[in-house]
Amino acid sequence: MKAKVYITPKAGILDPQGLTIERSLPALGFEGVSNVRVGKYIELELPDGEAAGAAVDEMCHKLLANPIIEDFEFELVPG
Amino acid sequence: MKAKVYITPKAGILDPQGLTIERSLPALGFEGVSNVRVGKYIELELPDGEAAGAAVDEMCHKLLANPIIEDFEFELVPG
Amino acid sequence: MSATGQKPAYELLGLKEKEYRGICDAMGREPNYTELAVFSLMWSEHCGYKHSRPLLKNLPTEGERILQGPGENAGIIDIGDGLAIAMKIESHNHPSAIEPFQGAATGIGGIVRDIFAMGARPIANLDPLHFGSLEKPRQKYLLEGVVEGIAAYGNCMGIPTIAGEIHFEDAYEGNCLINVMCVGLVEQDKILRAKAEGPGNLVLLFGSTTGRDGIGGASILASAEFDETAQEKRPTVQVGDPFTEKKLLEACLEMRDKGLLVALQDLGAAGLSSSSSEMASKGGVGIDMDISRVPLREQGMEPFEIMISESQERMLAVVTPELKDEALAVCEKWDLDAVIIGKVTDTKRLRVFLGEEMVADMPVDALVDDAPTYIVEAVRPAHEVDEPLAEDHYRLPSDLNETLTTLLRSPNICDKRWVYEQYDHMVQTNNALWPGGEAAVLRIKGRRSGVALTTDGNGRRCYLDPRRGARAAVAEAARNLSCTGAKPLAVTNCLNFGNPEKGEIYHQFKEAVEGMAEACEAFETPVTGGNVSFYNESFGQAIYPNPVVGMMGLVEDVSLIGTTAFQDEGDTVLLLGNARAAIDGSEYQLRIDGEVAGRIPDVDLEMEKKLQLLVREAILEGLVKSAHDVSDGGLACCLAESAIAGGRGAVIELGTDQRPDLLLFGEAPGLIVVTVAKNDLEHFAQLALDLPVSVIGRVEGDRLVIRAGGADQVNLPVEQAAQAWGAALEALVHG
Amino acid sequence: MAVSPQTEVTPVRFGVVVFPGSNCDADSYDAVRSFAGVDARYLWHKDTELEGLDCIILPGGFSYGDYLRCGAIARFSPIMKGVRRFADDGGLVIGICNGFQILLEAGMLPGAMHQNEGLKFVCKQVNLRVENNETPFTADYERGQVIGVPIAHHEGNYFIDETGLAELEANGQVVVRYCDEEGETTPASNPNGSLGNIAGVCNREGNVFGLMPHPERVCDEIVGGTDGRAVFESIISAVAGKAAAS
Ligand SMILES: Nc1ncnc2c1ncn2[C@@H]1O[C@H](COP(=O)(O)OP(=O)(O)O)[C@@H](O)[C@H]1O
Ligand SMILES: [Mg+2]
């Protein structure tokens, strides 16, 4: 099956990338955009099974996300 | 409203980050994971309205993604 | 006064009852919560130097080249021609242990701000690092994260990270040492200071917005031991934004050039609280601030949070009302948030307003100067002994070739390329000597002269004898500079120790500071500033006491600098110095016998000075083909490193007054290997007068051969030594 | 240093663009000023008037922090419109490191950058083979010459699709490649995983050149070499030649 992992900067943690994008958008003609936050989107395939959810959760904790400064969510989809 | 933008490496294009993650997973006890692709997940808020979708699409084209190596998708959610 | 649960608020903020009473006395009343929070940080160990201040007074801080000693954001040293060097070192140990990448990155950010707060343009970073053994996965993770963090921040800023050191020992397993040093160049008439002056002048806050990140971060983390609650302190982790800092740097230097600044100060530990009160204290004035004007990143921040937030990339300046608009315009040009948040007063009080409402009113002097100091009864730990180990204490290894290879592979000795290639060490195009040598040398564009920089720490030796160890650290730093031809001028230091409330740690601190003072006196290298990092313990286990020395020297002519590389076939190899090498505290002892024990030899400061002068003079006369000091791994490793660097072998013949392994791998401060062309030997001997100099061999072939007692003790192709030395670190990290 | 009479009369005028986050702007400026017959000035990223210039340098660094993607935000700087017009009119534009990345993002050069294969920033001296010495940026080198120039980047892993690559090769747009000391373009001499060991490319017209290595860092013996000087010498001769011809 496939896992889709969404990683975002924790609330309250500075996100320099988001900030810089936000500040540059008006110059490109996009006004009024706010709260830009830049995170990661990871896709991976793993063997079907009961344990898949737990495995992805652990992967996120251990490797994919940095739980000290990032939050993550994921979903499992067949395929 | 809020836009959630998913940026992924174009299919068939090298993804050094994904590859490295894939290679390091077995050592952490995760076997059988494949096709790891690392992209970006961007959230932003923008004024409600008809034109929101078109604006996000344009932002993606112009700035958020690089069409030579990246694909993007987005969804708009109220809030 | 709000109290949570059973404990009074001051205790939750880390203050002792007696300290709380002191605050009440200073205030003439009970402080409100905002005031208490500000006091608690200003009187923390990190900001208040409660356990170190009395002892630091022993360090020599003055000299004719010292334009600014301790007390400002950085020290300043006159290098002639109207130019000066600003330098400072700092620790980011605890934040890096929690989040290595961001911890190290914000460490760089902090120290760099200290340098441009003086009006200097940063020209180099150095990074002395200490971790636990790389056999532990967590230590690899820390190493990778820290190096990437330093790289990410320093590279983005365009400041070359040109030197440092990196050691791996079990004592740092629970508490790594991440020290960072920054060096800047400034024209003497453009030096800025953090002295708020002129009541009526305005206080300008600029740079990033203020958020809750890092509330109590650096100061709280650095003022208590690590334990289970470290986990809870995690939300205080700060994220660095080097791009904003780069703009901040350029904006500050532009304001400096336009003469817009009365005073400049960065916001570091304790944020707005410390920066405003310290600026006021230096000028003997007061400051009124309206913190409702502070641009915030988060909603609903309490006044105390705004006052103590440690959000990065912010500066505070004093400007005159006339020039305020010009200053704001520079900030706007660099796309930085900037607001006038207050004004200088003559009250000597720090008064904080939220709009019209006054939320805090504190005496500046009490905040800055009146933190209580503590003197602890020193206790000499049992592992410090008077006598060195007997020379036959350990068994003589059967194959010294193998011993040498093992030592060359030691992560403490091997090639550090894996680290420094991640750093942009060339940007600004000043490297007269690239990393990997004895010290870094930077040319100064448009001049003949240059500056040499190095850091040295030797915790293991300080553990065995903190006084001798500290003396040795200073001597080694000076020796490294002298081997490039630079005359040592000044020191900045980062004193990394355990919990000073314990007698044994206090003893180590006291001995080390006194030892450092003695050596700095001898070398005439005053201490221009530094940093004290206490509570480097995890679960009650302290690190090795580690006073890290950052030293700067002046090179008269950058076209005449010494390198460690053997040059030409037939050059004569000379050993300078007569110190007797010992196994106590050596890398050899640690690697082969798995121990750290005995007593290290003391440095002969007078002899050391003479030898270093000799090397410098000989370099200036063009007599020296290579110069390398004998340090970790002893004479054999020193020779191997010069052979590897030059791609040339040597044949060495040593005396026989010691067991061969001690001759080869024993360590003692005060030894330097130089090579000299045969024709220059006589000239060199004239310079050396009656100093101890012995011919020990010549550069020859492609093998390193070391004979002692009539036998080849070492006979190794240089290529093979290079392979062992060059591949070790990467193999350890990825293995 | 020999100075030809023409260059003394009309100096060759360089403009070095300063984006927020540029950090090799001063190095590039200093490097070009070490040549006789050169005028150099900084150009602020908000400038739109680019009158009186012969060559524009987009320097290395981390414009806009390299946030999002290297060069992605800088390419929208007001000055870039002018730079494009300048190039369209035949002016010489060289992008070094971050400058190269900006030119790619702006579509002024073909291709894109991935992170280095090793995922780490790499700063070291590498060897380059000059593939095309008929550009205004490389005419003073020999074809096939191996030069030592440092790199310092995190995202220099050059990518272009197959058709694009074929076009580049066919038009001689690959100007420099990573190689070993002998000039062989081996995998081991590729420091970042770039397709075809490509280190620098030019546009079809040959007046816009981007490269990851830093020639401005090797213009002075005291800091490790002079192999980069010929890039600037080539530019100066090209401009002077053009002036003499017109
Ligand atoms: N963490 C580091 N960062 C940058 N350079 C380093 C680092 N560690 C070591 N180096 C460089 O590697 C070289 C050798 O380091 P080291 O063995 O510690 O030198 P020494 O024994 O002379 O103190 C020096 O040039 C030093 O500056
Ligand atoms: Mg040394």
Side-chain angles (χ1 to χ4, degrees):
Chain A
M1 61 177 60
K2 196 164 163 176
K4 299 180 169 191
V5 181
Y6 311 93
I7 300 170
T8 46
K10 263 194 166 44
I13 289 251
L14 178 74
D15 174 17
Q17 296 215 65
L19 213 69
T20 305
I21 294 172
E22 191 170 317
R23 281 179 179 249
S24 66
L25 282 170
L28 302 182
F30 302 105
E31 298 290 342
V33 177
S34 61
N35 279 321
V36 181
R37 308 283 284 173
V38 179
K40 281 190 196 135
Y41 172 57
I42 302 179
E43 288 178 351
L44 50 88
E45 276 163 37
L46 76 172
D48 287 6
E50 297 263 303
V56 175
D57 190 69
E58 204 187 331
M59 272 180 234
C60 289
H61 266 108
K62 278 195 177 164
L63 181 69
L64 304 181
N66 179 351
I68 299 169
I69 51 176
E70 292 170 332
D71 289 328
F72 65 86
E73 277 179 38
F74 64 90
E75 49 183 328
L76 295 173
V77 291
Chain B
M1 63 177 59
K2 198 163 160 174
K4 297 179 170 192
V5 180
Y6 311 93
I7 298 170
T8 46
K10 255 195 167 45
I13 282 202
L14 171 84
D15 171 19
Q17 255 184 304
L19 213 65
T20 304
I21 291 178
E22 197 169 312
R23 289 204 190 117
S24 59
L25 282 171
L28 297 176
F30 303 104
E31 298 292 342
V33 178
S34 61
N35 278 321
V36 181
R37 310 285 286 171
V38 180
K40 292 190 184 110
Y41 172 56
I42 302 177
E43 289 178 351
L44 50 89
E45 277 162 36
L46 75 172
D48 287 4
E50 297 265 302
V56 175
D57 191 66
E58 201 189 337
M59 267 180 238
C60 288
H61 265 109
K62 272 195 172 170
L63 176 69
L64 301 180
N66 178 342
I68 299 178
I69 48 175
E70 292 169 333
D71 289 326
F72 66 86
E73 276 177 41
F74 64 89
E75 49 184 328
L76 295 174
V77 291
Chain C
M1 172 98 338
S2 67
T4 318
Q6 306 299 322
K7 288 187 183 174
Y10 64 79
E11 202 174 305
L12 292 169
L13 288 167
L15 290 166
K16 299 190 166 70
E17 195 201 336
K18 205 169 142 240
E19 294 172 337
Y20 179 67
R21 284 204 309 269
I23 294 168
C24 294
D25 286 348
M27 293 283 293
R29 60 174 164 84
E30 287 210 346
N32 64 30
Y33 191 77
T34 304
E35 292 162 341
L36 187 61
V38 171
F39 262 104
S40 75
L41 287 177
M42 295 303 294
W43 284 21
S44 69
E45 185 64 47
H46 188 73
C47 297
Y49 288 81
K50 292 191 279 197
H51 287 88
S52 57
R53 229 184 318 158
L55 289 172
L56 293 179
K57 293 210 174 88
N58 293 323
L59 296 170
T61 58
E62 284 169 16
E64 60 184 45
R65 286 184 179 270
I66 308 304
L67 303 178
Q68 176 67 58
E72 269 284 345
N73 286 303
I76 299 213
I77 303 105
D78 182 353
I79 56 164
D81 290 342
L83 294 176
I85 288 293
M87 66 174 189
K88 176 82 182 295
I89 191 168
E90 200 161 74
S91 67
H92 238 217
N93 306 340
H94 295 105
S96 305
I98 289 179
E99 213 304 290
F101 181 99
Q102 297 296 347
T106 51
I108 293 284
I111 196 65
V112 168
R113 281 194 298 282
D114 278 332
I115 297 306
F116 67 78
M118 302 303 295
R121 177 172 285 280
I123 56 170
N125 289 330
L126 295 87
D127 66 335
L129 313 173
H130 294 74
F131 299 95
S133 161
L134 277 180
E135 273 139 41
K136 307 273 169 64
R138 172 152 183 90
Q139 301 303 315
K140 286 185 206 179
Y141 162 77
L142 289 173
L143 170 69
E144 292 215 70
V146 162
V147 170
E148 279 174 19
I150 292 170
Y153 210 105
N155 296 354
C156 183
M157 291 288 295
I159 304 167
T161 304
I162 52 165
E165 56 182 326
I166 191 158
H167 285 219
F168 302 91
E169 310 213 36
D170 292 339
Y172 305 103
E173 184 167 320
N175 198 304
C176 55
L177 297 187
I178 309 307
N179 293 177
V180 284
M181 172 169 164
C182 184
V183 179
L185 183 67
V186 59
E187 288 164 39
Q188 288 177 20
D189 54 4
K190 289 191 175 168
I191 294 171
L192 297 173
R193 291 201 165 75
K195 189 172 166 194
E197 281 173 313
N201 280 339
L202 304 174
V203 178
L204 171 68
L205 173 69
F206 60 112
S208 276
T209 48
T210 299
R212 280 200 185 84
D213 53 347
I215 296 253
S219 27
I220 295 291
L221 285 176
S223 300
E225 278 181 43
F226 256 160
D227 52 26
E228 297 81 357
T229 64
Q231 205 76 12
E232 293 160 26
K233 290 172 186 150
R234 280 185 166 176
T236 61
V237 166
Q238 307 142 21
V239 169
D241 179 2
F243 171 55
T244 295
E245 178 127 322
K246 168 72 171 158
K247 295 189 293 179
L248 202 54
L249 158 68
E250 298 301 337
C252 287
L253 296 188
E254 187 170 330
M255 288 192 240
R256 170 203 72 179
D257 287 340
K258 292 182 167 164
L260 305 179
L261 300 171
V262 176
L264 185 62
Q265 162 78 37
D266 69 301
L267 277 76
L272 207 44
S273 299
S274 61
S275 54
S276 58
S277 54
E278 279 166 18
M279 278 180 111
S281 156
K282 288 193 178 101
V285 295
I287 284 180
D288 283 0
M289 294 191 293
D290 175 3
I291 56 172
S292 71
R293 300 190 193 172
V294 173
L296 299 179
R297 212 175 61 234
E298 289 179 69
Q299 287 172 348
M301 285 181 70
E302 298 284 331
F304 87 90
E305 291 180 304
I306 299 171
M307 283 304 288
I308 68 176
S309 158
E310 290 180 1
S311 285
Q312 301 287 296
E313 291 96 22
R314 299 179 297 163
M315 302 291 285
L316 204 60
V318 174
V319 296
T320 62
E322 297 75 44
L323 294 175
K324 145 193 123 176
D325 289 335
E326 255 188 273
L328 288 170
V330 172
C331 293
E332 169 148 15
K333 171 181 166 189
W334 289 99
D335 197 15
L336 296 165
D337 282 317
V339 279
I340 300 291
I341 59 163
K343 60 174 193 290
V344 176
T345 66
D346 59 7
T347 60
K348 290 195 168 196
R349 298 189 77 85
L350 179 63
R351 300 198 301 178
V352 183
F353 295 81
L354 199 61
E356 296 291 299
E357 179 199 356
M358 184 157 78
V359 295
D361 178 5
M362 299 159 286
V364 164
D365 291 341
L367 279 173
V368 177
D369 299 325
D370 294 350
T373 55
Y374 297 105
I375 290 173
V376 178
E377 195 178 331
V379 180
R380 190 186 190 207
H383 70 259
E384 284 183 24
V385 295
D386 292 326
E387 291 304 317
L389 298 175
E391 296 203 338
D392 59 357
H393 183 83
Y394 300 106
R395 226 161 30 89
L396 176 68
S398 55
D399 181 351
L400 297 188
N401 243 351
E402 198 183 297
T403 306
L404 174 58
T405 313
T406 304
L407 285 175
L408 289 174
R409 273 203 201 102
S410 157
N412 295 334
I413 292 178
C414 72
D415 191 0
K416 305 302 189 307
R417 188 175 294 271
W418 181 87
V419 174
Y420 65 68
E421 282 187 351
Q422 295 187 52
Y423 303 147
D424 189 343
H425 51 267
M426 306 173 188
V427 62
Q428 298 192 20
T429 58
N430 291 322
N431 302 64
L433 209 53
W434 290 19
E438 203 74 78
V441 178
L442 297 177
R443 62 140 169 213
I444 294 170
K445 281 181 185 159
R447 326 258 159 165
R448 236 180 57 178
S449 57
V451 292
L453 299 161
T454 188
T455 68
D456 271 293
N458 58 22
R460 191 169 65 225
R461 284 160 223 144
C462 289
Y463 170 76
L464 295 179
D465 187 327
R467 180 178 299 257
R468 287 185 174 186
R471 286 159 58 94
V474 176
E476 178 167 355
R479 201 182 312 125
N480 284 337
L481 297 185
S482 291
C483 284
T484 69
K487 180 175 161 35
L489 292 188
V491 161
T492 176
N493 70 84
C494 194
L495 305 172
N496 304 280
F497 289 80
N499 177 351
E501 296 161 42
K502 300 177 184 169
E504 294 192 350
I505 304 289
Y506 195 78
H507 159 88
Q508 293 175 329
F509 184 71
K510 179 167 184 286
E511 288 285 307
V513 170
E514 288 172 8
M516 181 178 283
E518 292 159 5
C520 287
E521 293 278 4
F523 288 106
E524 296 172 64
T525 50
V527 176
T528 60
N531 174 248
V532 180
S533 173
F534 280 135
Y535 301 100
N536 290 291
E537 304 202 355
S538 63
F539 299 100
Q541 198 55 43
I543 56 156
Y544 287 149
N546 201 336
V548 171
V549 176
M551 195 181 276
M552 192 277 286
L554 188 64
V555 176
E556 256 176 60
D557 184 344
V558 281
S559 66
L560 284 175
I561 48 181
T563 79
T564 60
F566 285 158
Q567 304 265 321
D568 296 305
E569 185 86 9
D571 286 348
T572 305
V573 183
L574 302 172
L575 179 63
L576 317 187
N578 55 6
R580 194 174 169 86
I583 194 160
D584 313 69
S586 65
E587 187 70 25
Y588 172 51
Q589 181 186 40
L590 178 70
R591 288 289 143 205
I592 307 301
D593 300 298
E595 274 196 334
V596 176
R599 183 163 200 209
I600 59 167
D602 198 6
V603 53
D604 177 345
L605 292 171
E606 284 315 305
M607 172 64 79
E608 180 83 56
K609 273 167 59 183
K610 287 182 199 155
L611 289 174
Q612 292 187 21
L613 182 63
L614 167 63
V615 173
R616 295 199 301 268
E617 283 183 341
I619 288 175
L620 274 182
E621 302 222 356
L623 301 177
V624 174
K625 304 283 275 288
S626 74
H628 192 10
D629 79 315
V630 176
S631 63
D632 295 312
L635 181 58
C637 285
C638 171
L639 291 164
E641 285 167 7
S642 290
I644 293 166
R648 289 189 180 278
V651 176
I652 306 293
E653 183 84 48
L654 299 178
T656 51
D657 60 330
Q658 257 182 319
R659 228 168 68 170
D661 60 330
L662 295 183
L663 282 175
L664 264 59
F665 309 116
E667 295 172 17
L671 298 170
I672 301 173
V673 171
V674 301
T675 56
V676 172
K678 256 209 197 103
N679 293 339
D680 291 329
L681 214 46
E682 207 167 308
H683 189 167
F684 190 91
Q686 281 163 11
L687 278 184
L689 294 169
D690 53 356
L691 288 175
V693 173
S694 34
V695 172
I696 58 167
R698 66 189 174 279
V699 176
E700 182 185 312
D702 55 10
R703 304 175 76 88
L704 178 63
V705 180
I706 308 178
R707 298 195 183 111
D712 282 7
Q713 304 292 346
V714 162
N715 188 336
L716 194 67
V718 173
E719 188 55 48
Q720 203 175 315
Q723 176 57 30
W725 177 80
L729 189 56
E730 195 165 351
L732 280 167
V733 175
H734 295 304
Chain D
M1 215 166 302
V3 181
S4 69
Q6 292 113 321
T7 55
E8 255 177 36
V9 179
T10 27
V12 176
R13 297 155 303 178
F14 284 86
V16 180
V17 180
V18 183
F19 297 99
S22 293
N23 66 31
C24 302
D25 42 346
D27 298 352
S28 302
Y29 180 87
D30 291 343
V32 295
R33 294 219 325 161
S34 72
F35 294 86
V38 162
D39 258 1
R41 64 179 155 108
Y42 290 113
L43 306 170
W44 184 236
H45 69 115
K46 288 188 176 156
D47 289 351
T48 46
E49 282 306 313
L50 302 177
E51 292 304 303
L53 289 170
D54 300 305
C55 178
I56 293 177
I57 301 180
L58 305 185
F62 289 67
S63 59
Y64 294 91
D66 276 357
Y67 297 147
L68 189 62
R69 290 184 314 281
C70 305
I73 302 179
R75 73 120 158 163
F76 291 106
S77 280
I79 198 170
M80 287 307 292
K81 280 203 182 106
V83 172
R84 191 185 296 270
R85 235 181 292 120
F86 177 82
D88 287 347
D89 292 344
L92 301 183
V93 177
I94 175 171
I96 301 170
C97 196
N98 195 233
F100 184 17
Q101 293 162 338
I102 295 169
L103 290 172
L104 293 175
E105 282 283 342
M108 291 177 65
L109 288 174
M113 287 297 176
H114 284 295
Q115 272 199 50
N116 294 348
E117 207 169 39
L119 302 186
K120 291 198 187 306
F121 190 97
V122 182
C123 175
K124 65 175 181 187
Q125 183 85 356
V126 298
N127 293 302
L128 300 178
R129 188 173 76 200
V130 178
E131 301 288 276
N132 180 349
N133 69 341
E134 290 171 16
T135 80
F137 308 94
T138 51
D140 278 28
Y141 292 106
E142 301 294 321
R143 178 150 185 211
Q145 189 178 339
V146 176
I147 55 176
V149 183
I151 53 167
H153 59 248
H154 202 162
E155 311 198 357
N157 182 351
Y158 182 77
F159 172 82
I160 189 165
D161 63 22
E162 263 176 51
T163 344
L165 181 63
E167 257 179 59
L168 281 187
E169 300 280 9
N171 299 331
Q173 286 173 254
V174 177
V175 180
V176 278
R177 281 185 219 269
Y178 302 109
C179 65
D180 64 16
E181 276 171 26
E182 275 72 50
E184 298 300 322
T185 55
T186 57
S189 61
N190 186 340
N192 53 25
S194 286
L195 201 69
N197 282 39
I198 293 175
V201 301
C202 65
N203 62 350
R204 249 193 127 114
E205 296 72 26
N207 65 324
V208 177
F209 175 40
L211 78 171
M212 289 314 292
H214 286 271
E216 83 282 10
R217 293 189 181 183
V218 270
C219 285
D220 191 344
E221 202 55 69
I222 195 87
V223 293
T226 54
D227 281 5
R229 288 189 73 83
V231 168
F232 303 102
E233 266 154 11
S234 302
I235 296 172
I236 292 166
S237 326
V239 172
K242 212 162 78 178
S246 63

